[in-house]
Amino acid sequence: MTDTVISLLVRNLHGVFGEADDVRRGALAGELFTEDALFVKPAGITCGRAAIAGKILATHPSFAYAELAPAENLHGLAGRLRWTSGEPGRPPSYAGTDIIVVENSRIAALYLFFDPLP
């Protein structure tokens, strides 16, 4: 299960949040998230994997994500990943930490905390 949590975190960051193509992003969200997954962020709560995939990159379509540290697993039930994001080739615009709760090898909840830039 350790590999599952780590994989979910990394694939979510790059393949869902970092994917500009709506079809590919939606397909991967379908693989990674439970149908009724929650995405909790400072701006509010989004419910359901389709809604989560639809919200990504809406305000910053050209931003790319970079991992600040290796993803961490907590007993196969949860994990966290610290990252930065911004225009490719420029200093990061913001940083954050994703914390996930895993059920049946899928993301059931994703909690996003914004962090100070490193």
Side-chain angles (χ1 to χ4, degrees), residues 14-30:
H14 299 293
V16 177
F17 278 76
E19 177 56 63
D21 182 87
D22 293 338
V23 173
R24 287 194 301 257
R25 185 175 58 253
L28 188 57

Side-chain angles (χ1 to χ4, degrees), residues 31-68:
E31 291 178 31
L32 301 183
F33 288 88
T34 62
E35 187 173 339
D36 60 347
L38 292 177
F39 177 30
V40 181
K41 56 196 176 302
I45 300 172
T46 302
C47 300
R49 63 181 170 219
I52 293 168
K55 297 277 185 186
I56 307 303
L57 291 177
T59 57
H60 305 294
S62 63
F63 275 23
Y65 292 83
E67 299 165 42
L68 280 176

